[in-house]
Amino acid sequence: MYSSFIPPRQVKIGDAAAFVGTTPRAIRHYHEIGLLPEPERGGDDRRRYGYEDMIRLLWIRKMADAGIALDDIRDAFAGTASAGADNDHGIAGNLERLEETLTAQEAELRRQRTAVRRMRTEGSRMGLLSDFVTSRLKNLPEGSLRQTDLDGLLVIERIFGPLGAAVNATRYIALATHPELREESDRVDAAEEALDDTVAVDDPRVAQVAAERHAFEKVLEAVIEDSGLAQSDDALFESWDALHPITASENGDEASHHSGSGQRSMSAFDAAGKMPYDFSPARLRCMQLTEGLAKTSWLAETS
């Protein structure tokens, strides 16, 4: 369900660092070495970071955690317009050189080598996701997932952890395996994106698009149920519990762990205040109306 909290379109360096799991000092260093283009400053002379900046920071963080030197990451990104642009050849070359050095090291370096090999096997973008998420996507036809799908899962995993991202992957699986559903999804997405700053919040198109989104989500929900994906979701929770049994000392803190990276997930509210989205007032109103329609529909079905 959509939150009524209005997220920022751009965030300050402290919020960007907190979301990614690094420090403002580290981000400034990325600017100094040319790893991350320095964004424009606001009227208060502070740097402001947008959605694409955050995606690139997540790329840098994930690859650095795998043991890749910042200079190698910068070389891999050289010549690309943004972190979203594909440059798999350069990244794969750096991963290969790194793996050659890992063979002579022990303990912690073995963990890094496994992470790098996995990135090469899964693909540079898919490999940024945890094993628990990628295992959910392995049987999909090659190329059926879009770059934006994987970017979205990367953000979801940072907020809700691997289990949350694996559950959300159900949506992308349904879209990837039902072309007509993907086509309708693209149409509704385009209609929402058209609700830009030139559209008033009380424009009739806002309510119309909200109704279209609600109708689409109902169809998507039915497809997920009929295809058996909902049952697969139930199995995910059982699998997660088996892999991550909660001890007495961990009870109540299990949801805060981000597996495999040493990072912790954050609350959805905290994330919404740190992750920028370029949503106009009309589009935010559309989300609120969609949420209201979903609540009304749920109450009608359960009464």
Side-chain angles (χ1 to χ4, degrees):
M1 298 236 174
Y2 296 108
S3 170
S4 60
F5 178 79
I6 300 177
R9 299 190 186 186
Q10 292 182 315
V11 295
K12 297 178 182 178
I13 192 170
D15 286 334
F19 180 86
V20 174
T22 186
T23 65
R25 182 178 179 180
I27 294 179
R28 294 189 188 99
H29 180 61
Y30 298 160
H31 294 320
E32 291 172 359
I33 66 174
L35 182 56
L36 179 71
E38 185 170 354
E40 295 181 4
R41 294 175 181 264
D44 56 358
D45 200 37
R46 294 177 181 269
R47 298 179 181 90
R48 305 285 175 171
Y49 297 82
Y51 182 82
E52 291 299 327
D53 296 317
M54 303 297 268
I55 291 295
R56 184 157 187 154
L57 282 169
L58 286 172
W59 267 78
I60 294 169
R61 176 74 179 184
K62 287 281 188 174
M63 297 178 75
D65 282 349
I68 305 175
L70 295 181
D71 287 344
D72 288 336
I73 299 174
R74 180 189 60 205
D75 292 343
F77 286 154
T80 61
S82 69
D86 285 332
N87 189 20
D88 288 348
H89 179 72
I91 295 173
N94 285 311
L95 291 172
E96 183 177 2
R97 288 193 298 273
L98 177 63
E99 187 171 1
E100 292 173 355
T101 66
L102 292 177
T103 56
Q105 303 176 40
E106 300 177 355
E108 178 62 15
L109 292 182
R110 283 190 192 137
R111 184 192 66 80
Q112 295 177 359
R113 183 184 181 190
T114 299
V116 171
R117 182 185 290 119
R118 178 176 173 277
M119 286 185 187
R120 294 179 62 193
T121 300
E122 300 291 349
S124 59
R125 191 175 296 273
M126 180 82 79
L128 295 174
L129 299 168
S130 67
D131 283 324
F132 195 75
V133 181
T134 55
S135 63
R136 187 86 166 96
L137 308 170
K138 282 186 180 297
N139 295 326
L140 290 176
E142 185 176 355
S144 60
L145 282 175
R146 296 178 178 177
Q147 174 178 311
T148 52
D149 296 340
L150 297 173
D151 284 345
L153 286 172
L154 180 64
V155 172
I156 292 170
E157 184 175 344
R158 177 66 184 109
I159 299 173
F160 298 108
L163 178 58
V167 172
N168 273 273
T170 299
R171 179 187 189 89
Y172 299 106
I173 294 171
L175 294 176
T177 53
H178 295 78
E180 73 289 349
L181 202 60
R182 173 73 86 173
E183 183 177 350
E184 178 63 10
S185 175
D186 289 343
R187 189 193 68 77
V188 176
D189 288 346
E192 287 181 337
E193 291 172 4
L195 299 176
D196 56 23
D197 288 320
T198 66
V199 180
V201 293
D202 58 353
D203 190 296
R205 286 174 291 176
V206 176
Q208 178 183 343
V209 175
E212 291 174 357
R213 168 59 69 184
H214 174 64
F216 169 76
E217 294 299 329
K218 294 290 289 183
V219 172
L220 177 60
E221 181 181 342
V223 169
I224 290 174
E225 186 68 32
D226 294 342
S227 62
L229 288 171
Q231 288 77 8
S232 298
D233 283 350
D234 294 337
L236 278 176
F237 288 93
E238 297 177 3
S239 177
W240 179 263
D241 290 342
L243 290 170
H244 304 85
I246 303 175
T247 64
S249 62
E250 294 172 336
N251 190 29
D253 190 45
E254 184 265 344
S256 69
H257 289 282
H258 187 285
S259 84
S261 67
Q263 298 184 42
R264 290 176 179 269
S265 57
M266 60 179 64
S267 73
F269 184 85
D270 287 342
K274 294 177 173 62
M275 188 64 181
Y277 290 94
D278 192 17
F279 294 154
S280 68
R283 189 166 179 182
L284 287 170
R285 178 56 179 161
C286 179
M287 292 177 178
Q288 293 169 348
L289 291 174
T290 303
E291 181 180 14
L293 290 171
K295 287 181 178 179
T296 300
S297 177
W298 181 81
L299 291 171
E301 292 172 358
T302 56
S303 61

